[in-house]
Amino acid sequence: EVHLVESGGGLVQPGGSLRLLCTASRFTLSESWMAWVRQTPGKGLEWVANINPDGSSVYHADSVRGRFTISRDNAKNSLSLQMNGLRVEDTSVYYCARDPDFAAIDLWGQGTKVTVSS
Amino acid sequence: DVVMTQSPLSLPVTLGQSASISCTSSRSLEHSNGNTYLTWFHQRPGQSPRRLIYKVSNRDYGVPDRFSGSGSGTDFTLRISRVEAEDVGVYYCMQGTQWPPTFGQGTKVEIK
């Protein structure tokens, strides 16, 4: 069975940084568009960023542009989200996701929790 | 951004009965390529979302045929016939036609 596994979440102070990592098992991540989506009880689901198979095209939501960077290492079958300048409102569960066609996510990771608090 | 509005937000249903969830978008979701990128997800408590339906009406492999999607333009519906206990959870619609992709608020389905 194919899987996505996220890691790297945790508690960080406002203004701090975290790097989330997503690794894929039983499928070749380099063949797919990939994305990060976050979920909070209050704001629901929010698209954060996505990246094309070879990493040459990236898109970030307005709410994170300039602070977060999506990237991938196809040799390591992994996806990353570098998060700088974290804000309280970035507190969420972050999901790694496979985006096969115009955001119609067909595979989600289990999520990693990020808490931004002083 | 395209706003996705679901109704109802809470839906108590009787086992064996049918249920419908509406999803309305603030703009047409028909892409210039002729496709309509409207997706439905189901999220059980404590789990990640799972895709049920893509491009309005295409059911994913393994999704029971009790689930069906319909609609066009700005109005879409997810229908569940013969609700079973495993169908509880939150259902989300999502559009991928316009950047950024956006989700509905979610509809919580529970058994009466």
Side-chain angles (χ1 to χ4, degrees):
Chain A
E1 190 176 347
V2 297
H3 282 298
L4 294 169
V5 179
E6 303 96 335
S7 60
L11 173 64
V12 62
Q13 292 188 337
S17 297
L18 277 177
R19 186 178 184 87
L20 305 184
L21 182 68
C22 171
T23 55
S25 66
R26 300 186 187 275
F27 82 94
T28 304
L29 188 147
S30 63
E31 296 174 351
S32 303
W33 279 79
M34 298 296 296
W36 289 97
V37 178
R38 64 186 182 184
Q39 184 173 32
T40 60
K43 289 183 65 178
L45 287 158
E46 181 185 14
W47 195 274
V48 174
N50 60 352
I51 186 169
N52 72 337
D54 68 7
S56 61
S57 293
V58 298
Y59 301 91
H60 298 86
D62 288 347
S63 57
V64 306
R65 189 173 297 126
R67 301 186 297 123
F68 292 10
T69 304
I70 188 172
S71 63
R72 64 196 302 159
D73 185 338
N74 288 338
K76 296 182 178 179
N77 215 30
S78 68
L79 177 75
S80 296
L81 185 69
Q82 178 65 43
M83 304 187 295
N84 299 330
L86 281 160
R87 304 169 180 168
V88 171
E89 56 265 34
D90 295 320
T91 296
S92 279
V93 173
Y94 285 75
Y95 293 101
C96 169
R98 185 170 68 184
D99 173 8
D101 186 26
F102 284 82
I105 296 169
D106 67 346
L107 182 65
W108 298 71
Q110 87 287 352
T112 186
K113 188 170 184 179
V114 172
T115 303
V116 185
S117 175
S118 54
Chain B
D1 297 0
V2 176
V3 177
M4 304 296 288
T5 304
Q6 291 182 228
S7 66
L9 299 185
S10 178
L11 184 56
V13 296
T14 302
L15 289 173
Q17 297 298 305
S18 63
S20 286
I21 300 170
S22 171
C23 175
T24 302
S25 59
S26 60
R27 269 180 270 163
S28 173
L29 299 186
E30 185 172 354
H31 194 275
S32 56
N33 65 13
N35 291 311
T36 299
Y37 296 100
L38 187 284
T39 305
W40 289 97
F41 299 98
H42 175 214
Q43 186 174 32
R44 294 191 177 103
Q47 295 186 12
S48 306
R50 170 201 177 197
R51 193 177 75 178
L52 298 175
I53 303 276
Y54 61 96
K55 284 193 279 190
V56 181
S57 59
N58 294 274
R59 211 168 29 246
D60 268 278
Y61 179 78
V63 174
D65 60 7
R66 303 183 288 103
F67 291 87
S68 62
S70 63
S72 63
T74 60
D75 294 298
F76 304 90
T77 301
L78 176 70
R79 191 162 285 108
I80 313 170
S81 62
R82 306 181 307 280
V83 169
E84 298 186 3
E86 65 180 16
D87 300 336
V88 300
V90 182
Y91 291 81
Y92 297 94
C93 62
M94 190 208 71
Q95 68 82 23
T97 298
Q98 304 279 347
W99 175 264
T102 46
F103 294 85
Q105 321 95 302
T107 296
K108 187 174 184 178
V109 171
E110 56 187 10
I111 305 299
K112 282 183 185 175

